[in-house]
Amino acid sequence: QVQLVESGGGLVQAGGSLRLSCAALVSDNYAMGWYRQAPGKERELVADISSGGRTSYADSVKGRFTIFRSNYKNTVYLQMDSLKPEDTAVYYCHARLGSSEFWGQGTQVTVSS
């Protein structure tokens, strides 16, 4: 069974930082990612990381966010720095293996100006 549990969201002022965690009860051959969905917006991919450690980022967060994973801890992280009000959204952890995908329940990130 696959379970993803996010934590680390909260309220932060613009320019601040948060680190999101996803406790992922998946095999380490899954690709992992973080998505976000703001009110009235489509869910978008923020960052992902392959089982081999290759990373990619949305243009809007490049240079500010970092995704990394700990296989030993079975956890994937999203370090978010220089946060902007536009980053306000529910952030979801995501796991994929082939055609199978799984979602966490989401954690709210709110950035105040």
Side-chain angles (χ1 to χ4, degrees):
Q1 291 291 328
V2 175
Q3 293 187 4
L4 309 175
V5 180
E6 304 97 333
S7 63
L11 174 64
V12 65
Q13 292 184 341
S17 298
L18 287 172
R19 179 177 289 184
L20 305 184
S21 299
C22 175
L25 299 181
V26 299
S27 300
D28 60 6
N29 59 342
Y30 277 73
M32 302 293 299
W34 287 96
Y35 288 72
R36 68 186 181 187
Q37 187 166 24
K41 303 291 186 180
E42 295 182 354
R43 188 171 297 186
E44 64 174 345
L45 177 65
V46 177
D48 60 19
I49 185 167
S50 74
S51 61
R54 298 183 300 275
T55 60
S56 63
Y57 300 90
D59 288 341
S60 59
V61 306
K62 285 181 179 177
R64 299 189 297 118
F65 291 10
T66 305
I67 187 171
F68 58 101
R69 67 194 299 170
S70 170
N71 291 329
Y72 177 76
K73 296 292 186 181
N74 204 25
T75 303
V76 62
Y77 302 91
L78 185 68
Q79 177 67 41
M80 305 185 294
D81 298 318
S82 301
L83 282 161
K84 304 176 180 179
E86 306 92 270
D87 297 317
T88 296
V90 177
Y91 284 70
Y92 297 91
C93 187
H94 177 261
R96 180 183 62 80
L97 179 62
S99 62
S100 299
E101 62 178 352
F102 305 92
W103 296 93
Q105 295 187 118
T107 185
Q108 177 71 47
V109 171
T110 302
V111 184
S112 63
S113 60

